[in-house]
Amino acid sequence: MAASARPAAFRIARKQLGQIKFAVGDRTYDLTDFLAVDRVSGMIVLKDGEVVYETYQLGNTPGTRWTSMSIAKSVTSTLIGVAVKEGLIESLDEPATKYVPRLKGSAYDGVSIRDVLMMSSGAKWNEAYTDPRSDRRDLLKAQESQQRDAAMDVMAKLPRAVEPGTKFNYSTGETQVAGEILHGAIKGPLADYLSEKIWKPYGMEVEARWWLDSPGGLEIAGSGLSATLRDFARFGQFYLDGGVVEGRSILPDGWLQEASTAKILKGGAPLDYGYMWWIATSAPARADRAFMARGIFGQFVYIDPKERVVIAVTSAASKPQNLQLIPPQVFFDAVVDALK
């Protein structure tokens, strides 16, 4: 994704974020503790679109591209929203197999695009990163093989566990299906679509990269996007500002609210997940309708619509299971509270 010819400059806020303190159990931590303990490689905080804090750690600089991990999922779902706005996808209630014929006759028969975005296809999936026999590891091997159809070969073999739309099951494979849906709709590379619709016109500062499943093939829609910290923050600000590019929203009416709020599955089960966006977990954050893009090893784009705060974080956590000693949500709450 090429950088913009006219990068959107960040204004530095007059009031900067100072030292903050917060409690986790019976211990008190501060901002410096969060950076060190959670192995943060970079963090930028925006309030009303202005920078109130920015730091780089572990040898990173403003020009360092960092792998987004599952932040890429939220980018992919957003691009599906753009395709709906443009009429390239008629409705989220359309069957996924309309755009991915390879999955006809599989567990994805009868699965809607909405089911895929909510990770509720009903296909059986094991996301365990550390289990060499998991479906996630099978998908990674397929991606490493650099064969164009290898990932969908994995997805097409999955058995059905439950009826579509009735149960949430976090699946990076589901996001690769979403990428195939988008590719089938736009008839071209996801990277080109992102570049044309958001990256260049919104003013992203540095060229970004997106891992392909094969030479000239499909982007790894669930984890393969690499960009700078500032451009991840710009993506958060783009979302906070209503998806407006060059004076008009490129997303369908109501998309931002619908994509970033909790859902109800068929049968009535609640789901703290939107369209590949996570819902914030604390009471204050829920009151603010906060949500986030989240990736393993500590990657975040956190958005608080009420307080108009965006927090972008990249990290190098030692394990993939989101076992940070300082829970990021506690830290995010402290930052937002300090900026009120």
Side-chain angles (χ1 to χ4, degrees), residues 19-37:
Q19 183 61 275
I20 58 174
K21 294 188 177 182
F22 51 94
V24 178
D26 59 356
R27 296 193 62 178
T28 299
Y29 295 93
D30 60 23
L31 187 156
T32 306
D33 293 327
F34 176 72
L35 297 177
V37 172

Side-chain angles (χ1 to χ4, degrees), residues 137-157:
R137 293 288 285 271
D138 287 345
L139 180 65
L140 184 60
K141 290 173 186 175
Q143 293 165 345
E144 290 175 337
S145 76
Q146 289 286 281
Q147 300 297 314
R148 175 64 185 91
D149 295 324
M152 285 305 100
D153 287 343
V154 171
M155 302 309 294
K157 293 176 183 176

Side-chain angles (χ1 to χ4, degrees), residues 273-318:
Y273 197 67
Y275 295 159
M276 297 187 178
W277 290 92
W278 291 96
I279 311 306
T281 56
S282 71
R286 284 177 177 267
D288 288 356
R289 297 178 290 108
F291 58 99
M292 71 188 88
R294 189 176 77 191
I296 60 170
F297 301 108
Q299 326 315 319
F300 295 92
V301 176
Y302 184 83
I303 301 170
D304 186 311
K306 181 181 178 183
E307 297 299 329
R308 295 195 57 76
V309 171
V310 173
I311 306 171
V313 181
T314 59
S315 307
S318 57

